[in-house]
Amino acid sequence: MDDDVVPIPDHLTIRVTHTDDPVSAVAGLEAWESRERYPDLLMMPPVFGSLERTPEGAWRILCFHAGTPQGARDDLGHVFRCWAHGEPGGRWAAPWDITDAERAAYTAAYERLEWEKLDELAVAGRQYRVFRAEQVLRGGPEGVEPPRPTDPDPAPVGRGHRAPSRVDGFVIDPAAAVSLVDGIVRLDLMTLVPSGRSITEEVREDARLASARHPNVFVLPAHCAVAERRDGRWGPMTGACETPQAARDTLAAYLREFAPMTDPGLGEEELAAYAAAADRLDALRANTVEAAGRRFQLVRVEPVVRLGPDGPERPRPSDPDPDPPIMAQAARDRAVGLVPDDERD
C-alpha cells in the first residue's frame, strides 16, 4: 500500500527534528517563553531582497533589508555589475570562475535592471528573484519584545554595522528540518494578515491571496529596530538593523547628532539629556533608554518569508514601489528638464 502514498510537496511541509545541541535547546526555550509572554503578533512594513536559486532547488540570499522592491532590484543590479567587472580574486569578484560569456550575460542583466522593473531573471543559466519578507514583532502586557539573550550581538560599541551579516548567503530551504518550537512558531505565522486602521483593503486582499498562493512560511534570522513610545503606543523609529548593537549605535547617533539637526528648537537641557542617554546606551549596552520625556526601545523583528510551489514570494502589487529604475529615472528627469547644471548646454 506504500505505493499509494502521495508525497507532500516541500512548500506544504514543516519537517521537525530533535537536536541535542544545548545552544539550540536554550534558544528553543526562549522562543517558547516569548510566545507565552508576547502572544500578540505585530507587523512593520515589509523588507525586500534578492535571491539566487541553488542547484539543489533552494534559494540563497544575495542582498536583504531594502525598503522597497526597487531598492532590492538596484542591489541585485549592483551584484551583477560587480560580478561582471570585479577583479579576479577581488572583493567584488564572482564567487566562481566566471567566463567571458558569463561576464557579458551579467552586464546585459544589470543594464536591463537599470531600465526595467524585473523581479525574476535568468542569467547565464542561473535563476534570480526579488523577494519580500514581512517584519513581525511580538507584543503583550509587558510591551514589545526586546532582543533575546541568545540573539547574536558580537560587535563592540560603535561598530555594530560592521558585524558580519547573518542573512547574506543564507539559504531558504523549505525542506530543512527545524525544532518543534520553531515548527510551532511557523504555524503561528502562517495566517498572519496585516490589520489596523491604516491598512487598506488592497493590502488585506493581497495578503489573503498570498496566504493561498504561498501557504508556508520561513523565518529568517532575527534583526532589530528602534521603536519609540508615542501616545501610549510603540511605533517604529528606524528600519532594520542586523544586530542589537547596530540598533543601539543608530539610536545613539540620532540622540547625539541628528536630533539637534532635525529639531533646531531644542534647548540646552534637552540636548544634554539626549547626549547623556546616548552615553548610557554605550556604557550599558541597554535595550531601553529615556531622554527629555521620550522613551526608546530596541525591538526584536522576525523576517517572515512566504513560500509557494515556485519558491519565495515576490513583491505584491500593493507594496509601495514609487521609484523607477535609475536610467528610467534619469531619462524622465531629462524629459522634464530636471538635469544637473553641468549637463545643461
Side-chain angles (χ1 to χ4, degrees):
M1 295 298 292
D2 289 345
D3 292 341
D4 296 331
V5 176
V6 178
I8 301 175
D10 286 341
H11 76 278
L12 296 177
T13 303
I14 298 177
R15 290 182 170 83
V16 174
T17 189
H18 172 73
T19 177
D20 293 323
D21 175 29
V23 176
S24 298
V26 173
L29 179 61
E30 283 186 355
W32 188 257
E33 291 177 346
S34 170
R35 188 170 176 267
E36 297 294 317
R37 293 175 61 187
Y38 303 99
D40 302 327
L41 298 177
L42 314 172
M43 299 178 71
M44 290 173 58
V47 287
F48 303 88
S50 54
L51 301 161
E52 179 183 56
R53 191 158 200 176
T54 70
E56 298 75 23
W59 293 84
R60 180 171 66 93
I61 295 177
L62 298 177
C63 299
F64 193 45
H65 291 150
T68 64
Q70 187 55 45
R73 297 181 199 110
D74 291 342
D75 289 342
L76 181 59
H78 176 72
V79 171
F80 288 169
R81 180 185 288 271
C82 291
W83 289 355
H85 302 299
E87 292 295 327
R91 179 184 178 189
W92 301 113
W96 73 93
D97 292 330
I98 190 169
T99 66
D100 289 342
E102 289 172 328
R103 290 183 188 277
Y106 283 102
T107 297
Y110 79 68
E111 289 177 347
R112 282 192 70 192
L113 284 168
E114 290 177 344
W115 287 97
E116 303 176 57
K117 289 193 171 189
L118 302 173
D119 294 331
E120 197 90 28
L121 296 93
V123 186
R126 297 175 175 87
Q127 188 176 356
Y128 298 91
R129 172 176 295 181
V130 171
F131 76 108
R132 80 188 302 278
E134 298 287 4
Q135 296 191 94
V136 180
L137 300 79
R138 288 190 172 273
E142 301 177 30
V144 184
E145 183 184 19
R148 298 174 188 169
T150 54
D151 289 334
D153 196 17
V157 172
R159 294 179 176 270
H161 292 87
R162 298 188 181 185
S165 172
R166 298 174 62 206
V167 289
D168 289 353
F170 189 93
V171 175
I172 299 175
D173 183 3
V178 298
S179 69
L180 177 60
V181 173
D182 288 341
I184 293 172
V185 169
R186 284 174 63 175
L187 287 172
D188 289 343
L189 297 168
M190 279 186 178
T191 57
L192 192 62
V193 174
S195 61
R197 289 173 295 179
S198 62
I199 303 301
T200 66
E201 184 55 36
E202 180 186 12
V203 170
R204 291 192 185 92
E205 180 60 21
D206 272 358
R208 286 190 284 266
L209 289 173
S211 296
R213 295 170 179 170
H214 298 82
N216 205 345
V217 297
F218 192 98
V219 184
L220 298 179
H223 57 248
C224 277
V226 179
E228 182 178 1
R229 187 78 171 175
R230 306 186 193 100
D231 300 324
R233 301 178 63 185
W234 289 101
M237 180 188 169
T238 71
C241 299
E242 285 257 6
T243 64
Q245 189 55 49
R248 293 186 200 100
D249 291 344
T250 299
L251 178 55
Y254 168 78
L255 293 169
R256 287 194 181 101
E257 303 168 22
F258 295 104
M261 289 191 297
T262 56
D263 189 355
L266 291 173
E268 291 186 5
E269 289 187 4
E270 291 170 310
L271 293 175
Y274 283 1
D279 291 342
R280 288 196 299 276
L281 274 177
D282 290 348
L284 302 176
R285 290 172 70 101
N287 291 331
T288 61
V289 69
E290 295 187 15
R294 300 173 68 181
R295 185 181 178 191
F296 306 93
Q297 179 184 317
L298 270 63
V299 294
R300 187 179 195 273
V301 184
E302 292 179 304
V304 179
V305 181
R306 284 203 167 275
L307 302 174
D310 66 338
E313 182 187 13
R314 291 180 285 266
R316 299 174 186 172
S318 59
D319 289 328
D321 193 21
D323 299 323
I326 184 170
M327 295 305 293
Q329 175 73 59
R332 188 177 70 180
D333 290 348
R334 290 190 182 93
V336 298
L338 296 177
V339 295
D341 291 339
D342 57 2
E343 293 186 14
R344 296 179 184 274
D345 294 331

